[in-house]
């Protein structure tokens, strides 16, 4: 195995350690919260977090792709690294302030104001998550600096929820405690950057900050657009069918999201190296396709074993939904391998951006037409259809671009 491939596996390992809590915590907390809060309050929590995801996507502005790519390309030039980091940091802070103000306007809505503790806690969580500079450590390929600290923070979050969240009245504590864990991780990351002198902060130029927004726009569109259909399912279900239906849907879909997180980890681990050597892409693509298919079969057939353990009270309904939604898994892996891990790195950002935007808008419109009548299954059918179409279009664009490159070389 080549040095570059070993680096991808090493980065993935550190990301798994860093993000390991993102797997373990939901697996433990998902059934716990469903049972302790009840489906109705769990649905309310999911509805509030769905709104939070919209704002989180806007605050993070696709930096998990664009900022990682920028840092990876200038990491060997200390002067340019300082400038790029400072521009990205200031632009991140400004965009977080802007959308925090926009978020607060929602409190003029009675339904939001009546649950102000919950929605303020969601804002706190979203802010802390968005300000965490994971993109710096990924771009520098130094994920080991924060791997242990992040795992510790996730463990503290898990323990604090299990200790303090004991009844439906404690719903607001879930996002608050999650935000608190991100705040601790943020403080630790600042100390690590300062102690190890990874990068300096200078006052960037206004032009430089604006340029980061321009460079990050394609990544932002491709990251935000899918929330128009995936995240909107929760929102639309809540509007038409209430919190109990949202709770049942969220319980099933969260299982698939935990599995799909592996695809995002693989791509994020490979991005720094692919930014400098795109020849590694074929190996990554093959690994992503095989992994996606294996995980799909695992969820499809293994869910009959683990769903009753996770959701003993709602096992029948959740099992059927999980098995249906599991069909999305291989398509997500293939899309990420051909889109963010290739088209976004070889100058074809606009092609991928148009594909994601078109299919996401189509899925968003379809959701408003289907969900009012077909409820949860309608939401999953729309998500599945949108995911398949987006993946097929992305793969065709990838093959066309790859073939054109081969022709140019000859």
């Amino acid at each position: 195995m080549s040095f570059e491939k070993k680096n991808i596996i090493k980065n993935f390992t550190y990301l798994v350690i860093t993000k390991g809590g993102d797997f373990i915590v939901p697996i433990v907390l998902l059934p716990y919260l469903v049972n302790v809060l009840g489906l109705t309050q769990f649905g309310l929590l999911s509805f509030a977090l769905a709104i939070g995801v919209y704002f989180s996507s806007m605050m993070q502005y696709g930096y998990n792709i664009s900022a990682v790519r920028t840092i990876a390309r200038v990491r060997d030039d200390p002067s340019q690294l300082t400038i790029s980091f400072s521009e990205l940091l200031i632009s991140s802070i400004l965009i977080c302030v802007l959308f925090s103000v926009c978020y607060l306007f929602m409190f003029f809505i009675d339904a939001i104001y009546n649950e102000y503790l919950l929605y303020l806690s969601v804002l706190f969580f979203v802010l802390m998550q968005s300000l965490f500079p994971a993109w710096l450590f990924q771009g520098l390929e130094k994920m080991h600096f924060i791997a242990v600290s992040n795992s510790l923070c996730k463990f503290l979050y898990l323990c604090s929820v299990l200790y303090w969240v004991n009844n439906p009245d404690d719903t607001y504590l879930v996002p608050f405690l999650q935000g608190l864990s991100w705040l601790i991780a943020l403080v630790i990351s600042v100390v690590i950057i300062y102690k190890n002198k990874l990068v300096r902060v200078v006052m960037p130029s206004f032009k430089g900050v604006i340029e980061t927004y321009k460079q990050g726009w394609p990544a932002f569109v491709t990251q935000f657009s899918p929330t128009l259909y995936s995240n909107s399912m929760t929102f639309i279900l809540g509007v038409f069918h209430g919190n109990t239906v949202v709770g049942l849907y969220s319980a099933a879909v969260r299982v698939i999201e935990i599995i799909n997180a592996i695809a995002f980890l693989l791509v994020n681990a490979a991005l720094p190296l692919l930014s400098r050597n795109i020849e590694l892409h074929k190996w990554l693509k093959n690994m992503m396709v095989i992994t996606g298919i294996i995980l799909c079969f695992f969820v499809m057939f293994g869910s009959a074993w683990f769903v009753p353990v996770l959701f003993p009270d709602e096992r029948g309904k959740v099992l059927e939904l999980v098995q249906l939604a599991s069909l999305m898994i291989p398509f997500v892996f293939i899309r990420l391998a051909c889109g963010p891990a290739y088209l976004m790195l070889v100058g074809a950002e606009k092609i991928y951006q148009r594909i994601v935007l078109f299919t996401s808008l189509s899925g968003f419109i379809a959701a408003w037409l289907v969900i009012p009548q077909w409820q949860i299954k309608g939401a999953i059918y729309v998500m599945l259809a949108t995911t398949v179409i987006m993946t097929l279009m992305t793969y065709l664009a990838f093959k066309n671009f790859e073939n054109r490159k081969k022709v140019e070389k000859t």
Side-chain angles (χ1 to χ4, degrees):
M1 185 179 291
S2 69
F3 175 75
E4 290 86 356
K5 293 176 183 177
K6 288 180 180 178
N7 258 351
I8 291 177
I9 294 174
K10 182 182 75 173
N11 290 342
F12 175 71
T13 303
Y14 285 132
L15 275 171
V16 168
I17 296 173
T18 302
K19 300 286 187 178
D22 295 341
F23 294 100
I24 299 172
V25 171
I27 290 172
V28 176
L29 287 188
L30 183 56
Y32 177 78
L33 291 175
V34 170
N35 292 322
V36 169
L37 301 181
L39 273 181
T40 300
Q41 282 300 106
F42 181 73
L44 174 62
L45 173 63
S46 299
F47 185 81
L49 289 173
I51 294 176
V53 168
Y54 286 124
F55 285 88
S56 177
S57 298
M58 291 184 282
M59 289 180 185
Q60 294 185 46
Y61 201 69
Y63 282 173
N64 60 329
I65 293 178
S66 62
V68 171
R69 180 179 58 200
T70 298
I71 296 298
R73 289 173 176 172
V74 302
R75 68 177 193 172
D76 296 324
D77 183 346
S79 176
Q80 187 57 49
L81 176 61
T82 294
I83 294 171
S84 296
F85 172 72
S86 301
E87 290 171 347
L88 289 164
L89 178 64
I90 296 301
S91 65
S92 178
I93 293 173
L94 290 175
I95 206 166
C96 283
V97 171
L98 171 64
F99 286 111
S100 293
V101 173
C102 295
Y103 183 95
L104 292 174
F105 277 105
M106 293 194 309
F107 284 79
F108 287 106
I109 303 172
D110 288 340
I112 302 293
Y113 181 77
N114 291 337
E115 299 287 346
Y116 70 94
L117 279 177
L118 173 61
Y119 286 94
L120 282 176
S121 298
V122 169
L123 176 60
F124 174 58
F125 157 56
V126 167
L127 265 176
M128 294 303 100
Q129 183 186 48
S130 301
L131 288 171
F132 184 76
W135 43 268
L136 172 66
F137 296 98
Q138 286 177 232
L140 294 175
E141 295 183 56
K142 295 185 181 295
M143 292 303 296
H144 59 283
F145 277 121
I146 57 171
V148 176
S149 63
N150 276 24
S151 298
L152 175 62
C153 292
K154 292 294 191 303
F155 178 72
L156 290 174
Y157 164 62
L158 173 62
C159 293
S160 62
V161 169
L162 294 176
Y163 182 79
W164 276 300
V165 180
N166 301 306
N167 59 70
D169 293 334
D170 299 328
T171 303
Y172 74 95
L173 286 175
V174 178
F176 175 77
L177 293 171
Q178 194 165 12
L180 200 59
S181 72
W182 277 103
L183 175 60
I184 295 170
L186 177 61
V187 172
I188 292 174
S189 71
V190 172
V191 172
I192 290 173
I193 292 170
Y194 176 77
K195 289 289 186 181
N196 292 277
K197 299 179 180 179
L198 297 181
V199 67
R200 294 185 300 110
V201 180
V202 298
M203 181 56 68
S205 65
F206 177 77
K207 182 180 179 181
V209 172
I210 297 300
E211 190 61 31
T212 63
Y213 291 134
K214 290 180 180 178
Q215 293 175 357
W217 177 253
F220 166 67
V221 172
T222 57
Q223 294 286 293
F224 178 74
S225 296
T227 64
L228 289 176
Y229 74 93
S230 61
N231 197 57
S232 293
M233 304 302 162
T234 304
F235 180 79
I236 299 171
L237 280 169
V239 170
F240 287 100
H241 302 293
N243 292 328
T244 303
V245 172
V246 170
L248 184 60
Y249 169 80
S250 298
V253 171
R254 290 279 177 87
V255 175
I256 306 303
E257 289 175 351
I258 293 170
I259 301 298
N260 284 338
I262 297 173
F264 288 93
L265 288 180
L266 282 168
V267 170
N268 286 336
L271 276 178
L273 289 166
L274 291 174
S275 297
R276 300 191 302 274
N277 181 13
I278 199 62
E279 299 300 322
L280 290 168
H281 179 264
K282 183 177 180 180
W283 175 78
L284 175 72
K285 176 173 66 70
N286 292 338
M287 182 173 64
M288 292 279 285
V289 171
I290 294 171
T291 304
I293 293 172
I294 291 173
L295 289 174
C296 176
F297 278 102
F298 167 74
V299 176
M300 178 73 71
F301 299 106
S303 55
W305 170 75
F306 65 76
V307 165
V309 176
L310 295 176
F311 311 102
D313 295 333
E314 303 290 341
R315 55 184 179 274
K317 296 177 182 178
V318 175
L319 176 60
E320 183 183 4
L321 297 174
V322 167
Q323 290 177 332
L324 179 61
S326 68
L327 295 172
M328 291 186 285
I329 294 172
F331 293 99
V332 171
F333 274 73
I334 295 169
R335 176 177 66 83
L336 292 177
C338 297
Y342 187 84
L343 295 175
M344 293 287 293
L345 298 177
V346 296
E349 298 100 328
K350 290 185 178 180
I351 297 174
Y352 184 55
Q353 176 185 330
R354 286 194 290 267
I355 291 171
V356 173
L357 186 58
F358 168 75
T359 51
S360 297
L361 286 173
S362 301
F364 179 72
I365 294 170
W368 285 97
L369 299 174
V370 173
I371 289 177
Q373 181 177 355
W374 294 95
Q375 292 193 9
I376 298 177
K377 283 192 175 181
I380 293 179
Y381 285 138
V382 172
M383 282 188 66
L384 179 59
T386 306
T387 300
V388 170
I389 293 170
M390 187 184 297
T391 300
L392 291 176
M393 293 179 69
T394 301
Y395 183 76
L396 289 174
F398 157 72
K399 292 301 293 184
N400 288 336
F401 196 88
E402 192 178 51
N403 292 335
R404 191 161 68 246
K405 284 290 184 181
K406 290 179 180 177
V407 172
E408 290 174 359
K409 286 181 179 180
T410 57

